[in-house]
Amino acid sequence: MRIGLDTRNTGRAGGTGVATYARVLAEACHRAGLGTAWVDDDMAGVEQPRSPARRTCRAARSLLPSRRLRPTGPSFTGRDLYRTAEIRDRWARVPTLLRASGAPDVMHWTCPLPLRWPGVPNVVTIHDLIPLLHPDLSDTPKARLARRLAQCCRDAAAVVTISEAVRRDIVAVLGIPARRIAMLSQAVWFPEEDLAASHTVASPVPSGGFLYFGSLERRKNIGRLITAHGRSGTRRPLILIGTPGFGAEGELAALAAHPAPERVHQVSWCSRAMLIRAMREARAVVFPSLAEGFGLPIAEAMTLGTPVVTSAGHATEEIAGGAALLVEARDGDALADALRCLDVDDARCGALRAAGLVRAADFTLDGYAARLGSFYRGLASPAAARDSVR
């Protein structure tokens, strides 16, 4: 049995949460005894066409209602696949259909994309509804996303999501029956080579600090975190690892009012091994996001035995599972108090570390693989195939 997975995000510079999700899905399939078939794009990462001839070719491809992929070993490759599908979706408002010999048994789209594989069960993962519920925290066009989500949910044999909080959102906002939504959570997976290298690589940041990692954007509450760090009076550094995203300039403007801005360290990128080392050596991982679908840094930090501070409510509190220090995300004083507490309270840090390790058992890759295997095999049954997108 083979599971099709898209590569829409896996080749993007700096990595994304969806890229991590796709790679962990593939590893979980392997552990569940399932094969994978990547749907690749031979122009991923290639500079956008500038010549009139290349632009004309791209426009012509976007007119095609279906695309035939060429087999490349166990996987498939399409010419300029993802961008042309996006263009077609924007003007025709319909997905591009894929065809190839030797189709996978299930096609799992790792995020809502304007692509379908007729004749097999199509699955789509919806990670969150943040642009619909909190449009001020995202630059994703709300109307376009709402249409895309409705289309994906209508065509899919099943919808997958990653937290009960998002499952409730999908039912309430999109009107999808709960029985069609599988909450499979996520898993934490650190490849063995990265774990081994983390003991020998140079740390990209000072040890013993408060660590945030992820995109530097408005919904991540970076400005309030910087302000809270300054107010806390701690001499421990605040470390921000990530690339700028939506609203980053406004968030980082908080550095101007920090009483000791030299204690705030910014690192735009580091290897996975370096990040693992930074997590292990941090006093705590601080993740006070305003909106999340899951909050993978919470589970990753707990897996490595690092205390966590995160936001009360919705998905972050769900993932924390009582094993993190919770604060109201918009309460800067509460966030400063949390940093002040963990700065000096070794016993509290020890208790959070122990609780986090227990909670991390819910995010093991083997458990995730078992859930996925059962889910996919159920979808590939003859009855499910009859209900798949035509």
Side-chain angles (χ1 to χ4, degrees), residues 219-242:
R219 75 179 175 91
K220 301 294 189 176
N221 215 12
I222 301 300
R224 195 171 277 112
L225 173 57
I226 293 170
T227 300
H229 180 261
R231 289 178 182 172
S232 71
T234 180
R235 299 184 67 83
R236 297 181 184 274
L238 172 63
I239 299 150
L240 308 174
I241 299 180

Side-chain angles (χ1 to χ4, degrees), residues 17 20-21 24 186-189 213 272 287 292 294-301 319:
T20 300
Y21 176 77
V24 175
Q186 283 190 252
V188 173
W189 176 48
F213 60 96
R272 190 68 169 158
F287 194 72
E292 289 294 326
F294 187 83
L296 188 59
I298 299 168
E300 289 182 330
I319 301 312

Side-chain angles (χ1 to χ4, degrees), residues 319-357:
I319 301 312
L325 180 54
L326 299 177
V327 297
E328 293 297 329
R330 297 184 185 275
D331 187 339
D333 290 336
L335 183 52
D337 287 343
L339 298 181
R340 194 178 295 116
C341 169
L342 296 190
D343 181 21
V344 297
D345 194 336
D346 293 341
R348 187 67 182 276
C349 285
L352 288 171
R353 186 176 296 109
L357 287 169

Side-chain angles (χ1 to χ4, degrees), residues 69-301:
L69 305 181
R70 64 179 185 274
T72 50
S75 298
F76 304 90
T77 300
R79 183 68 173 172
D80 198 13
L81 180 64
Y82 294 114
R83 182 60 183 163
T84 53
E86 287 285 348
I87 294 171
R88 177 173 173 76
D89 177 68
R90 291 184 188 186
W91 67 263
R93 300 192 171 191
V94 292
T96 298
L97 304 182
L98 302 183
R99 304 185 187 280
S101 59
D105 298 283
V106 174
M107 183 63 221
H108 191 156
W109 304 103
T110 61
C111 63
L113 294 173
L115 290 160
R116 303 290 181 275
W117 200 313
V120 302
N122 281 241
V123 177
V124 61
T125 295
I126 299 177
H127 297 265
D128 61 70
L129 298 184
I130 292 169
L132 305 185
L133 297 172
H134 309 281
D136 58 313
L137 300 180
S138 170
D139 60 351
T140 299
K142 183 177 178 179
R144 184 192 301 164
L145 178 63
R147 177 181 59 79
R148 172 80 58 82
L149 290 171
Q151 187 180 72
C152 287
C153 292
R154 182 181 64 247
D155 292 347
V159 174
V160 169
T161 194
I162 54 179
S163 66
E164 288 294 345
V166 176
R167 185 179 184 179
R168 291 191 295 270
D169 290 342
I170 294 171
V171 171
V173 177
L174 301 181
I176 307 303
R179 68 179 182 277
R180 293 192 60 222
I181 307 169
M183 200 296 282
L184 298 178
S185 189
Q186 283 190 252
V188 173
W189 176 48
F190 298 119
E192 289 300 324
E193 59 269 24
D194 290 337
L195 287 172
S198 70
H199 295 289
T200 58
V201 296
S203 177
V205 294
S207 62
F210 293 107
L211 171 65
Y212 165 86
F213 60 96
S215 59
L216 306 182
E217 58 181 298
R218 184 180 297 168
R219 75 179 175 91
K220 301 294 189 176
N221 215 12
I222 301 300
R224 195 171 277 112
L225 173 57
I226 293 170
T227 300
H229 180 261
R231 289 178 182 172
S232 71
T234 180
R235 299 184 67 83
R236 297 181 184 274
L238 172 63
I239 299 150
L240 308 174
I241 299 180
T243 56
F246 174 69
E249 185 177 356
E251 296 298 298
L252 294 173
L255 284 167
H258 195 291
E262 69 278 2
R263 292 187 191 142
V264 180
H265 299 253
Q266 295 182 62
V267 177
S268 61
W269 181 89
C270 66
S271 69
R272 190 68 169 158
M274 288 180 174
L275 180 58
I276 291 170
R277 178 161 185 166
M279 277 191 274
R280 280 181 169 148
E281 295 182 350
R283 179 68 169 181
V285 165
V286 187
F287 194 72
S289 183
L290 296 170
E292 289 294 326
F294 187 83
L296 188 59
I298 299 168
E300 289 182 330

